[in-house]
Amino acid sequence: MNWDQIAGSWKEMKGRAKEKWGELTNDDLDRIEGKHDQMVGLLQRKYGYAKEKAVQEIDSWTRGL
């Protein structure tokens, strides 16, 4: 699944994102509205990931969907 598909069905994907990254709140996920760059920033803030690590985590997650 690519990010455009995820963003298009973000309301459905939020639950899956919370399963993967339990520290993310519904409010966090509502705020980013499925935007990839904001998801990267959110993972950086919540998990202390470097940008590259956050992108890798997201890419890995999207491949598994």
Side-chain angles (χ1 to χ4, degrees):
M1 186 172 269
N2 69 38
W3 194 262
D4 289 333
Q5 293 170 312
I6 291 169
S9 58
W10 186 242
K11 289 184 180 189
E12 297 168 27
M13 293 293 115
K14 287 189 308 186
R16 291 185 179 189
K18 270 193 76 145
E19 289 174 8
K20 170 80 174 159
W21 299 287
E23 292 184 28
L24 303 183
T25 66
N26 286 330
D27 287 342
D28 291 333
L29 295 169
D30 286 341
R31 252 182 262 124
I32 68 167
E33 299 174 337
K35 295 179 181 126
H36 186 270
D37 59 334
Q38 290 187 18
M39 182 69 168
V40 170
L42 182 59
L43 292 180
Q44 287 179 281
R45 284 191 303 280
K46 290 283 187 162
Y47 287 89
Y49 292 158
K51 182 177 181 178
E52 296 79 22
K53 172 70 173 168
V55 170
Q56 287 174 350
E57 287 284 318
I58 293 168
D59 288 347
S60 173
W61 176 67
T62 58
R63 281 190 301 273
L65 295 175

